[in-house]
Amino acid sequence: MSAHDRNVGAATLKRLRLSRGWSLADTARAIISTATQLGQPLDASVASVQRSVARWESATAPILPGERYQLLLAHLYARGADGQIALGAGSDFAELLDALAHLGESTRRL
């Protein structure tokens, strides 16, 4: 994965977050809430998750979210702003998969 690819992935994650009007803290709370709803509560504070989100979106050294966070992000972005499931081309979910690919996730895992 080139630095350019990672930067594209990071920028895509940030654009997805901002398109929903979410701050870093809002995103962290949404991730924590999703984990709880799925019966898999995170043992992490909002501040800790917020730092992780910032690392994923870093313009200088972005990192790939871990598997658990990828699953939680998938649940978040599988629904449009209206709450309806949206998985097809052009959806936030499809954009998330593209971002994860740019950040280095394997095709098999995607």
Side-chain angles (χ1 to χ4, degrees):
M1 230 12 58
S2 71
H4 173 71
D5 285 336
R6 287 189 300 277
N7 287 337
V8 168
T12 301
L13 287 179
K14 185 173 186 176
R15 185 175 42 72
L16 282 169
R17 175 176 62 80
L18 294 175
S19 74
R20 294 190 177 213
W22 291 346
S23 67
L24 290 170
D26 293 335
T27 305
R29 283 189 286 275
I31 289 170
I32 291 168
S33 175
T34 299
T36 301
Q37 291 170 10
L38 293 173
Q40 300 291 322
L42 289 174
D43 186 25
S45 67
V46 170
S48 174
V49 176
Q50 180 177 330
R51 284 189 298 274
S52 293
V53 175
R55 285 191 299 269
W56 307 333
E57 296 179 1
S58 171
T60 56
I63 63 168
L64 176 68
E67 290 180 20
R68 185 171 189 193
Y69 283 112
Q70 287 181 35
L71 176 66
L72 295 170
L73 289 168
H75 277 271
L76 279 176
Y77 289 118
R79 294 189 180 273
D82 60 0
Q84 298 299 311
I85 293 175
L87 302 175
S91 68
D92 286 354
F93 181 78
E95 291 287 320
L96 171 65
L97 294 181
D98 187 56
L100 295 174
H102 277 93
L103 286 167
E105 188 54 78
S106 71
T107 303
R108 182 185 63 79
R109 288 255 325 127
L110 291 173

